[in-house]
Amino acid sequence: MSRSRKFGIGLCALRLLMAALLSWACLEHWPSLSANAELDALADYDPLAGAETERAAGHFSEALMIIDAGLETSDAEQRPALLSAQTQIIAERDAVLRRLTEAGRGALTGQGDSTEALTGAVVADLLVIGDVRDLLIQGAKAVRGEDSDEVIVALSALGLATTIAPGADVGVALMKFARRAGALSETFAKTLLRLGRRAFETGKTDELLAVAGDVSRLSERARPAAALRILRPIDDPQMLNRVANLAERPGGTLALWLNPARSTAWLKASSEAGDSVGERWLLKAARKGEAGIEFLGRRGGDLLRPHPLLGLIKAFWSGHLPALLTNLLDEQAALLTGAVLAWLLFECLRLGWLLRRPAQET
């Protein structure tokens, strides 16, 4: 066998080894690929149907939030129907007599189970009336020997101190309503109480104002009633900040609202893979509605598995390239797997041909 023949066979064997290693890496990623395909196969969420369900239940704020999310992520063909539904929902919501009655009850008591009652309570808090009202109510309880709500007291005091900061004041008002409605977890309430005591001792309200600001941002994007639902499973200010940031992304409020407990659990579970990775999958799953969010609970672990090739890429390159290639691998993983397997087959056939050729020539 000539030297050139040996060199050709060796080079082909080297290429075959490289193709085999790449094939192994692609097949290792197969569970993630199949999970992605299963997620894509789910039916898309219908914002019109979702909004109609909420409207029929009298949940106008939630219905409008769903329409807003649909307008952020829909194509041009869906926009006219979404805009028409938005107009109809707003018209029904704005029935004057019902709004005034419910809003007045919310302003006087700070309680209620409708969007209008919530609006009245929040407006009263923004006008200082609500903060004074709540301090008087909690003070009267203490005088009678009843248990007062220290969280409401701390938030009311902060509300009086932040009247000149409308952004934070909206957040304070919403947190007070959430506390009365049982929409604040005990863990989060204890955190607020600890921050309130620290603010009283030091005279610095920065931490509380940051929390109130995040609640305000969430409320602005999701609308107050939907924000209350999203707040329920949140246990700490760090998760609140992450949720508020996600709500500002297209489709973020819908992703958080569809199933707040599962969405928050997913954000926690996906932290090791990186916040951006977990949020990207959550936003994609939300396009399939609640079925997509539930899918994350079943097969989310497979979706979070990084492509084996990514580790090799990160070993040689830093900066934005790994992130760009991560998106490329996710989008073109099936095509890449097919191409690599085809290459492996080609090299196997070529090596076999090279090994047989000398025998054929002799």
Side-chain angles (χ1 to χ4, degrees), residues 40-64:
D40 286 337
L42 294 176
D44 289 338
Y45 179 72
D46 184 354
L48 284 172
E52 174 57 24
T53 298
E54 296 302 318
R55 183 209 62 78
H59 302 158
F60 300 107
S61 181
E62 291 90 335
L64 289 171

Side-chain angles (χ1 to χ4, degrees), residues 58-116:
H59 302 158
F60 300 107
S61 181
E62 291 90 335
L64 289 171
M65 181 276 298
I66 293 173
I67 293 294
D68 290 342
L71 289 170
E72 290 174 345
T73 58
S74 65
D75 53 36
E77 293 181 359
Q78 291 181 306
R79 290 186 66 84
L82 288 168
L83 290 171
S84 176
Q86 183 183 59
T87 301
Q88 293 175 8
I89 293 169
I90 290 175
E92 188 171 348
R93 180 201 63 182
D94 291 347
V96 178
L97 182 58
R98 184 180 59 80
R99 286 191 67 200
L100 289 177
T101 302
E102 289 292 318
R105 183 163 65 91
L108 288 173
T109 66
Q111 299 179 349
D113 55 5
S114 68
T115 300
E116 290 70 29

Side-chain angles (χ1 to χ4, degrees), residues 35 50 60 62-63 65 114 126 140 150 153 167 181 194 196 200 207 255 259 284 286 292 302-303 335 339 346:
F60 300 107
E62 291 90 335
M65 181 276 298
S114 68
L126 294 178
E150 294 180 280
V153 172
R194 186 177 69 252
F200 179 76
E207 292 176 309
N259 192 322
K284 181 174 182 177
D302 289 333
L303 293 173
L335 180 62
F346 171 78

Side-chain angles (χ1 to χ4, degrees), residues 41 52 109 171 224 266 338 349 355:
E52 174 57 24
T109 66
W266 169 257
L349 293 174
L355 291 173

Side-chain angles (χ1 to χ4, degrees), residues 306-348:
H307 200 292
L309 292 179
L310 189 59
L312 181 64
I313 293 169
K314 288 183 176 179
F316 291 96
W317 289 283
S318 59
H320 297 293
L321 183 61
L324 292 174
L325 290 177
T326 297
N327 293 334
L328 182 62
L329 286 173
D330 286 338
E331 294 172 359
Q332 306 297 335
L335 180 62
L336 176 63
T337 300
V340 168
L341 291 175
W343 181 32
L344 177 64
L345 178 62
F346 171 78
E347 295 298 344
C348 286

